[in-house]
Amino acid sequence: MHLSPTCCLILLLLLNFVDAGRVLRKIKERVRMLQLHKAKQHVLMRTFSGQQPAEHMSEGKIHQPLDHFDRQAIKTFPQRFFVNEAYWQRPHGPVFLFIGGEGPISQFDVLAGHHVDMAEEHGALLLALEHRFYGDSINPDGLETKNLADLSSQQALADLVTFHQYISQHFSLTHRNTWISFGGSYAGALSAWFRGKFPHLLYGAVASSAPVKAKLDFSTYNKIVGLSLMNEAVGGSDKCVADVWEAFAAVEAALMGGNASKVAEDFGCCQIPKILEDQTELMQSLADIVMGAVQYNEEGAVMSINELCDIMTNKSEAYEEEMEAYDRFIKLVQIYRSTGEEPCLDASHEQTVKDLMDTSLQSARTAGRQWIYQTCTEFGFYQTCEDASCPFSRMLTLQAQTWLCPMLFGISQHSLPGRIASTNKFYGADHPHTHRVLYVNGGVDPWQELSVINNKTGEGDEDQAIFIQDTAHCADMMTRGVADRCSLKKARREIEKHVTKWLKSAAWENMKKLMV
Ligand SMILES: *[C@@H]1O[C@H](CO)[C@@H](O)[C@H](O)[C@H]1NC(C)=O
Ligand SMILES: *[C@@H]1O[C@H](CO)[C@@H](O)[C@H](O)[C@H]1NC(C)=O
Ligand SMILES: *[C@@H]1O[C@H](CO)[C@@H](O)[C@H](O)[C@H]1NC(C)=O
């Protein structure tokens, strides 16, 4: 038993991103930091009002086989998990499992969030399991390519099975403890697949913003980004997307015209992007800022679509009409950098590659290398600008992204379509073989394209879809907030209704079993 009590709130270590890296990953990290901060406030507030939600929380490690599918293999790695028993109604209360994805988990994954709100109402035991090879759950051999062979979603699902056994034993759980899983984004897909592949272990699953369909050229991502910039319900407009398009065209023209040093100065680049690879890197960094604004719209960590469009189309009357899209974009990037205290904007391909080749444990925390490995071996998900509707630069090709697979891991680009096809064959793409899984998506989340958007027909109400018209990636997973959009509040009530219904029907099934 490796449970150690962590009674007090540990100060969070700010993850230290190595100098350059992809801007979207930095934005993702900003989002995570803000969410942790909010969760911490939430927990502190509850502590002040006399509750002690953190008092019943503990952290543990389970030793997992590195390779679940080779009976001869004996190597293990330590996998981190958190438990919160504050709300659990022993001995038959349900179990709510929060599944970790492509990054570290934290104690707040069992202390705050919509699933925690629901656990409190249903007297559930809260668990969170970190994904193998992310956060603290790293293969001790390191992140060399040969050691990444055991990093896959299928191994991750097998980890969940072992964890289920381990917890059941430790807490003496029986079939009367109903398990429900939760997860968002890639972990949302794991939540759905866990239920799909091991239906006897879980009664139901909530899958938020879950890209269950693997796709090589995910150019539809940027199509949705463009549509969201036009969406008036969230502050977008036709003019906004046109101005973004114009700004990118102007930057591209300046680079092609040999004005790289001026561009570098204008946008505060870390280096002058002289060669084509660096210019592509710069275009990616610039696109990432807009992609991040859409994907995390109104989640507070970066500017919202409304703010972005306000800068690009400045509605104020005093504004000089002549100011070019290029100059407005400079201002936008300045604001982005100043809010995140980023001294300069990444524009070095060499630096990006260098960071991704770093196999040290320090770099492992940033997760870039591991996630790119999973995109090369299982999912693709390359957010390219190959589609004509993309508002950015045509320089962002599929080739520019898949090139990393042979470069970093010796995985040939030709093998990618086959790998992605097997992933879809194994899990069922956007028609996964699941029952009693609730798929939740947001209308301004570019990932919705790879999820289950519509209710399945002809299967009773086993699988259901909730579509929140005007929210972004994983918005439903946060704890309830007074300022939330009505649609979001309504969606959360809808999720609660499903979870309540599942718990009731599970209890009824258990009772029937007892009566026979
Ligand atoms: C390059 O910069 C110079 C000086 O600012 C400017 O006159 C010229 O138009 C620029 N060329 C392009 C292609 O943007
Ligand atoms: C819009 O333009 C006005 C006048 O130049 C300026 O004061 C304001 O800061 C601008 N707003 C944004 C969001 O750039
Ligand atoms: C799925 O069906 C339920 C109940 O019939 C409905 O409330 C919900 O809006 C539907 N979801 C979608 C995305 O159409």
Side-chain angles (χ1 to χ4, degrees):
M1 188 69 239
H2 311 275
L3 283 181
S4 63
T6 14
C7 56
C8 19
L9 296 176
I10 306 159
L11 257 184
L12 290 158
L13 281 175
L14 266 161
L15 295 186
N16 225 332
F17 268 102
V18 230
D19 196 41
R22 306 281 285 286
V23 170
L24 194 55
R25 278 204 299 276
K26 288 188 187 171
I27 292 178
K28 195 170 162 184
E29 193 50 26
R30 278 199 207 179
V31 171
R32 204 178 83 84
M33 282 303 147
L34 181 74
Q35 282 168 2
L36 286 176
H37 176 75
K38 282 188 188 162
K40 201 168 148 187
Q41 299 293 94
H42 177 79
V43 173
L44 280 176
M45 243 163 59
R46 306 206 58 175
T47 309
F48 287 140
S49 65
Q51 291 162 340
Q52 301 291 338
E55 208 163 65
H56 306 276
M57 200 264 312
S58 53
E59 178 177 349
K61 288 256 162 80
I62 170 174
H63 290 278
Q64 288 275 11
L66 259 178
D67 184 356
H68 289 279
F69 307 125
D70 176 2
R71 283 170 198 280
Q72 250 100 64
I74 44 159
K75 277 195 166 176
T76 63
F77 73 98
Q79 189 171 27
R80 173 166 67 159
F81 64 88
F82 290 97
V83 178
N84 184 4
E85 299 169 58
Y87 312 119
W88 192 33
Q89 282 164 14
R90 291 165 186 274
H92 300 310
V95 181
F96 286 5
L97 167 64
F98 178 91
I99 300 177
E102 73 285 17
I105 57 165
S106 90
Q107 56 193 329
F108 294 104
D109 292 325
V110 293
L111 290 172
H114 188 221
H115 63 294
V116 177
D117 299 339
M118 287 187 280
E120 189 171 357
E121 282 146 22
H122 294 291
L125 174 65
L126 280 156
L127 308 171
L129 181 66
E130 193 160 70
H131 194 291
R132 59 166 53 210
F133 295 20
Y134 292 101
D136 277 357
S137 304
I138 308 269
N139 175 0
D141 289 342
L143 298 176
E144 308 285 342
T145 301
K146 65 175 186 336
N147 298 324
L148 290 175
D150 296 317
L151 169 58
S152 74
S153 59
Q154 292 190 38
Q155 295 279 6
L157 292 179
D159 289 338
L160 287 166
V161 173
T162 313
F163 183 61
H164 187 290
Q165 272 166 5
Y166 171 85
I167 289 292
S168 299
Q169 214 165 44
H170 181 69
F171 289 98
S172 310
L173 305 180
T174 67
H175 67 277
R176 294 185 66 178
N177 300 94
T178 304
W179 286 63
I180 295 177
S181 68
F182 299 85
S185 201
Y186 163 52
L190 289 173
S191 181
W193 295 333
F194 189 30
R195 167 73 192 139
K197 296 286 178 190
F198 302 95
H200 57 295
L201 298 182
L202 287 180
Y203 195 80
V206 179
S208 301
S209 304
V212 285
K213 180 180 171 180
K215 193 165 187 185
L216 181 62
D217 179 5
F218 186 18
S219 54
T220 37
Y221 179 99
N222 282 324
K223 184 176 152 194
I224 305 277
V225 169
L227 289 174
S228 301
L229 293 175
M230 288 161 71
N231 183 346
E232 287 173 12
V234 289
S237 62
D238 289 355
K239 180 156 181 6
C240 181
V241 78
D243 286 356
V244 167
W245 190 87
E246 201 183 313
F248 272 89
V251 177
E252 208 174 291
L255 290 174
M256 298 305 153
N259 275 357
S261 9
K262 175 151 191 309
V263 171
E265 196 188 315
D266 287 344
F267 289 95
C269 297
C270 308
Q271 308 83 5
I272 296 174
K274 289 196 191 109
I275 56 169
L276 183 65
E277 282 79 9
D278 292 344
Q279 297 180 354
T280 306
E281 197 71 29
L282 169 62
M283 290 317 240
Q284 184 67 59
S285 292
L286 293 173
D288 279 356
I289 295 173
V290 183
M291 287 153 75
V294 172
Q295 176 163 328
Y296 300 110
N297 186 40
E298 294 174 7
E299 290 180 18
V302 282
M303 67 181 74
S304 64
I305 295 174
N306 192 25
E307 288 160 340
L308 183 150
C309 289
D310 208 32
I311 299 166
M312 289 309 290
T313 64
N314 194 334
K315 290 164 195 153
S316 113
E317 297 207 6
Y319 200 66
E320 358 155 12
E321 266 300 316
E322 292 85 61
M323 193 165 167
E324 300 286 348
Y326 180 90
D327 299 308
R328 296 180 193 193
F329 198 38
I330 291 175
K331 190 167 163 198
L332 186 147
V333 173
Q334 263 169 6
I335 294 173
Y336 162 77
R337 276 179 35 225
S338 65
T339 55
E341 289 167 8
E342 283 180 35
C344 57
L345 193 70
D346 299 315
S348 162
H349 186 63
E350 196 190 333
Q351 188 62 45
T352 296
V353 172
K354 212 171 121 201
D355 290 346
L356 291 171
M357 290 184 67
D358 185 350
T359 56
S360 70
L361 287 183
Q362 170 62 30
S363 100
R365 305 276 316 176
T366 68
R369 178 172 170 84
Q370 301 97 298
W371 181 242
I372 290 182
Y373 180 81
Q374 288 200 270
T375 66
C376 294
T377 51
E378 296 188 84
F379 304 123
F381 290 162
Y382 300 110
Q383 298 145 317
T384 73
C385 228
E386 297 271 3
D387 189 89
S389 62
C390 175
F392 312 130
S393 162
R394 283 301 108 78
M395 290 164 82
L396 308 179
T397 58
L398 182 61
Q399 167 63 21
Q401 299 199 33
T402 55
W403 177 84
L404 283 170
C405 298
M407 171 70 205
L408 297 174
F409 309 113
I411 294 169
S412 102
Q413 283 162 296
H414 298 298
S415 73
L416 300 183
R419 291 166 186 271
I420 286 155
S422 10
T423 301
N424 284 332
K425 193 163 171 227
F426 186 73
Y427 294 119
D430 51 3
H431 289 83
H433 314 297
T434 54
H435 292 277
R436 226 180 280 125
V437 173
L438 184 60
Y439 295 93
V440 186
N441 283 285
V444 287
D445 177 10
W447 287 97
Q448 62 179 278
E449 282 286 314
L450 303 180
S451 193
V452 177
I453 297 297
N454 296 310
N455 285 326
K456 286 192 194 168
T457 47
E459 294 184 44
D461 66 347
E462 289 277 49
D463 265 2
Q464 293 268 308
I466 293 180
F467 192 75
I468 320 168
Q469 210 64 43
D470 44 19
T471 64
H473 200 55
C474 296
D476 60 286
M477 299 182 78
M478 306 306 121
T479 194
R480 301 170 191 127
V482 276
D484 291 333
R485 282 176 177 266
C486 285
S487 58
L488 183 55
K489 290 183 177 165
K490 191 167 153 253
R492 287 211 189 94
R493 283 198 299 271
E494 213 38 52
I495 297 170
E496 289 155 21
K497 245 172 58 190
H498 281 272
V499 169
T500 306
K501 199 176 81 186
W502 292 341
L503 292 175
K504 270 197 188 139
S505 63
W508 175 238
E509 282 172 29
N510 278 326
M511 214 155 79
K512 275 196 300 195
K513 268 182 217 150
L514 285 177
M515 290 190 304
V516 205

